[in-house]
């Protein structure tokens, strides 16, 4: 059955080779030092040595291989066959143990529970049903385990393409929003395509209610900066800091650390 979730697979399959070659993902540097995790994520994840970690929506695997390089036993999930193929090859090249699952995260049913479930940066906008997503997390989280989530703040969804004014509704009816003539967020000169994506602009209450209804308790923190310079009209907080802000102090990311 074709769902709105799976309609985006061809886009992500097309983006994988573009992303692998892009400066945004800096693959040559990653191969020398397989650690793409941001400082905030490392702080929230804590000691990974020997932990069983489930990484949802892993793309082509840089962050998940970073988790494994830090000592975790990682299972990574993504619905793009091209992403899983590339991630598997990268893991073999770097000799980092890897277990990859090619599946829609909303349909995930693994015969295992995990110490940590990790999900990050630009993922929930591709999911049609956050209640179903939260139930997947509950089903796979050990008692005493933790959900660690870092995500772009949904406030950003209302800004126009130049990040200068309001362009979209924050409150929505839950339907997919169609974006035509899209380029990948890496702004690569190799990206010659034009893509149509189907995305969900979930308000923060959707995330809070979905996790609460699934019986997951959590602490949430909002941040007035982005760990990625992937939006227009941002400036780096200080040279080499790797954090970027808008001229107004707006919420740009949020994190959640939760448990059953």
């Amino acid at each position: 059955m074709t769902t709105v979730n799976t309609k985006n697979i061809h886009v992500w399959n097309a983006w994988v080779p573009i992303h692998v070659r892009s400066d945004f993902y800096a693959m040559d540097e990653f191969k020398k030092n397989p650690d793409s995790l941001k400082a905030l994520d490392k702080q929230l994840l804590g000691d990974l040595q020997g932990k069983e970690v489930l990484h949802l929506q892993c793309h082509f695997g840089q962050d998940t291989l970073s988790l494994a390089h830090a000592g975790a036993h990682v299972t990574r999930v993504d619905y793009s066959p091209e992403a899983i193929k590339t991630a598997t090859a990268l893991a073999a090249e770097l000799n980092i143990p890897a277990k990859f699952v090619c599946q829609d995260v909303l349909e995930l049913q693994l015969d295992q529970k995990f110490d940590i479930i990790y999900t990050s940066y630009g993922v929930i906008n591709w999911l049609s049903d956050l209640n179903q997503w939260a139930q997947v997390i509950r089903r796979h989280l050990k008692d005493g385990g933790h959900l660690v989530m870092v995500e772009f703040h949904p406030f950003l969804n209302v800004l126009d393409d130049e990040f200068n004014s309001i362009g979209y509704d924050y409150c929505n009816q839950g339907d997919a929003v169609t974006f035509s003539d899209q380029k990948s967020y890496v702004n690569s000169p190799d990206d010659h395509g034009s893509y149509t994506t189907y995305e969900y602009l979930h308000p923060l209450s959707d995330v809070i209610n979905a996790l609460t209804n699934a019986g997951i308790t959590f602490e949430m923190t909002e941040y007035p900066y982005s760990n990625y310079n992937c939006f227009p009209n941002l400036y780096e907080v200080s040279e080499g800091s790797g954090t970027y802000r808008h001229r107004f102090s707006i919420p740009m990311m949020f994190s959640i650390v939760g448990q059953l």
Side-chain angles (χ1 to χ4, degrees):
M1 180 176 67
T2 300
T3 65
V4 172
N5 289 335
T6 57
K7 281 182 180 179
N8 290 305
I9 290 178
H10 74 284
V11 177
W12 285 100
N13 284 337
W15 281 351
V16 168
I18 295 168
H19 291 182
V20 168
R21 296 190 300 267
S22 70
D23 292 340
F24 186 92
Y25 282 99
M27 184 63 83
D28 289 342
E29 294 179 19
F30 178 79
K31 288 180 179 180
K32 295 174 185 176
N33 177 30
D35 180 9
S36 60
L37 297 173
K38 300 300 184 183
L40 173 63
D41 301 52
K42 291 179 181 179
Q43 175 188 339
L44 298 175
L45 286 162
D47 182 14
L48 291 169
Q49 191 65 43
K51 297 291 179 63
E52 296 287 342
V53 177
L54 175 63
H55 185 187
L56 303 178
Q57 297 168 268
C58 69
H59 197 23
F60 66 89
Q62 278 192 344
D63 284 355
T64 47
L65 292 177
S66 300
L67 295 166
H69 187 65
H73 306 293
V74 190
T75 299
R76 318 108 207 260
V77 180
D78 199 278
Y79 68 1
S80 162
E82 190 64 31
I84 294 298
K85 176 183 174 182
T86 301
T88 301
L90 182 60
E93 180 181 350
L94 298 181
N95 194 28
I96 298 177
K99 179 180 178 182
F100 296 101
V101 177
C102 188
Q103 191 172 358
D104 185 341
V105 68
L106 296 185
E107 303 298 328
L108 188 66
Q109 296 217 32
L110 302 176
D111 188 22
Q112 183 180 356
K113 292 183 180 290
F114 296 85
D115 299 303
I116 296 172
I117 297 179
Y118 173 61
T119 184
S120 65
Y121 302 106
V123 290
I124 60 172
N125 56 298
W126 304 101
L127 302 178
S128 59
D129 190 333
L130 291 191
N131 285 306
Q132 193 173 347
W133 163 81
Q135 290 297 331
V136 168
I137 292 170
R138 178 184 176 85
R139 186 161 59 243
H140 292 92
L141 193 61
K142 288 181 180 179
D143 290 339
H146 289 88
L147 165 67
V148 176
M149 177 182 187
V150 188
E151 180 59 284
F152 295 120
H153 201 286
F155 178 83
L156 303 184
N157 294 337
V158 309
L159 299 179
D160 67 5
D161 292 342
E162 296 302 318
F163 262 45
N164 283 325
S165 62
I166 301 299
Y168 302 95
D169 293 333
Y170 183 80
C171 298
N172 62 77
Q173 301 302 313
D175 296 328
V177 178
T178 301
F179 295 97
S180 301
D181 300 323
Q182 293 296 294
K183 296 291 185 182
S184 166
Y185 53 86
V186 300
N187 295 318
S188 170
D190 289 344
D191 189 0
H192 304 298
S194 182
Y195 312 93
T196 298
T197 64
Y198 304 89
E199 303 177 41
Y200 293 86
L201 308 184
H202 301 289
L204 202 56
S205 58
D206 282 1
V207 181
I208 293 170
N209 291 336
L211 293 174
T212 300
N213 291 340
I216 298 169
T217 60
F218 57 89
E219 292 186 1
M220 175 182 288
T221 306
E222 297 170 285
Y223 306 92
Y225 63 85
S226 169
N227 279 333
Y228 289 93
N229 188 20
C230 57
F231 303 105
N233 293 320
L234 302 185
Y235 66 92
E236 192 168 18
V237 174
S238 59
E239 186 175 355
S241 68
T243 56
Y244 303 88
R245 296 184 66 143
H246 193 268
R247 67 181 187 276
F248 295 114
S249 184
I250 60 175
M252 300 197 70
M253 302 191 308
F254 71 91
S255 69
I256 284 175
V257 177
Q259 60 185 13
L260 296 178

